[in-house]
Amino acid sequence: MNPNEAVERLNFILAHLWMIRNFLKHADEVQEDEEMLDVHRLIYDSIRATEPAHQRGDAAEYLRKLKGKLSKLKRSAEFFAREYKRVSSHTNFEMAAISYSGAVRQIEEILEAVKVENEGGAEASEG
């Protein structure tokens, strides 16, 4: 997978995360829970971090920015999957947790599949 293909796939996944973020942002159940509020804030921050590079068509910078956010996204998805039931056991929250965890796994897989630069600065092929 080349960097431009990766960005296209990742942007689709980030759009999905945006919808999860929107659900959580407006969910009454999380409004008094600072840790839960941090979930949608992190998603927002992660997506917005990639926007300037996407607008410039800079795939390498987009991938670098998203890779830099990945560990926080993973921790956040794990937290949400583990803790969502303390705010609500509603199916919407369960599905959001599954979606969030799945999207983060897909981001990780795509970032692993594309190598933007190797030591020589050339694009490496998919393994």
Side-chain angles (χ1 to χ4, degrees):
M1 173 182 326
N2 71 46
N4 290 325
E5 292 168 335
V7 167
E8 184 177 332
R9 289 182 62 194
L10 289 164
N11 223 38
F12 177 79
I13 295 166
L14 292 184
H16 181 75
L17 284 180
W18 189 266
M19 299 310 295
I20 296 166
R21 173 216 172 255
N22 195 48
F23 163 68
L24 293 174
K25 179 181 179 190
H26 297 288
D28 291 338
E29 298 88 340
V30 302
Q31 297 310 310
E32 302 299 321
D33 189 314
E34 198 60 38
E35 288 180 304
M36 285 291 170
L37 290 172
D38 284 344
V39 172
H40 82 75
R41 291 173 182 150
L42 175 64
I43 294 171
Y44 177 86
D45 178 61
S46 299
I47 293 169
R48 294 302 300 256
T50 64
E51 281 183 338
H54 187 261
Q55 291 170 347
R56 287 192 313 275
D58 187 343
E61 178 68 6
Y62 180 103
L63 295 169
R64 188 185 70 75
K65 289 283 191 180
L66 192 54
K67 187 175 182 179
K69 298 291 183 179
L70 183 59
S71 64
K72 288 181 182 180
L73 286 168
K74 284 173 68 172
R75 282 193 304 274
S76 176
E78 290 166 359
F79 164 80
F80 187 69
R82 185 177 62 246
E83 299 290 330
Y84 76 87
K85 286 183 182 177
R86 70 180 166 79
V87 295
S88 177
S89 61
H90 193 281
T91 304
N92 288 344
F93 283 87
E94 180 182 3
M95 293 294 112
I98 292 168
S99 293
Y100 190 14
S101 295
V104 170
R105 271 193 311 277
Q106 289 180 357
I107 291 169
E108 187 173 32
E109 290 167 2
I110 293 167
L111 290 174
E112 288 174 2
V114 65
K115 303 294 184 210
V116 177
E117 292 181 357
N118 64 18
E119 290 187 30
E123 181 182 307
S125 65
E126 185 176 18

